Amino acid sequence: MARVEICDASELPVGAMKAVRAGEVRLILYHLEDGFYATQAHCTHVFAPLARGKIVDGCQIQCPFHRARFDIRTGAVVEWANFPPGVQLLNALRREKALRTYPVHVENGRVVVEV
Ligand code: FES
């Protein structure tokens, strides 16, 4: 496991997220009320870029394609793809799958991710 410095903690306000790279790994860094978190960059349904999604309910990322929701802190599926109507046919092939998450620390004001 490698520790990769991403940015200054002050660069990402509470409620914001951004796509970053940690070495070869693409991920999304989030700043929630209780700290920083990181998930894989693409949805597990059919790989939409989560950077184009939005944070809802303070701690969930909603996918921009079919509105799957994941808990940012754990990666767990909160609600699977449900939009537009008919996407359930696709879901027969694309079963629920959690996002991968990565440990994040703030050290001396710098955000560090373990990948
Ligand atoms: S690609 Fe994310 S819900 Fe379909």
Side-chain angles (χ1 to χ4, degrees):
M1 189 164 287
R3 297 163 56 81
V4 182
E5 271 193 34
I6 303 295
C7 62
D8 270 343
S10 60
E11 288 175 40
L12 196 64
V14 172
M17 64 180 189
K18 70 174 179 178
V20 298
R21 291 185 77 123
E24 296 298 306
V25 181
R26 292 172 188 270
L27 46 81
I28 309 292
L29 182 67
Y30 309 84
H31 192 177
L32 304 185
E33 293 274 351
D34 63 351
F36 288 87
Y37 295 87
T39 70
Q40 67 184 72
H42 292 88
C43 182
T44 51
H45 184 232
V46 288
F47 314 115
L50 293 174
R52 291 201 219 142
K54 60 182 178 182
I55 296 173
V56 294
D57 290 347
C59 64
Q60 297 170 15
I61 177 67
Q62 179 176 287
C63 176
F65 279 13
H66 313 109
R67 301 182 186 172
R69 286 188 185 199
F70 303 88
D71 187 315
I72 291 167
R73 297 174 181 132
T74 65
V77 175
V78 176
E79 189 169 341
W80 197 226
N82 60 34
F83 179 86
V87 75
Q88 289 74 16
L89 294 172
L90 180 57
N91 292 351
L93 300 173
R94 302 295 303 174
R95 304 269 179 201
E96 285 191 24
K97 185 177 178 188
L99 293 179
R100 182 167 184 187
T101 59
Y102 300 88
V104 185
H105 314 281
V106 178
E107 298 173 0
N108 299 320
R110 301 284 292 169
V111 179
V112 177
V113 178
E114 293 179 30
V115 292

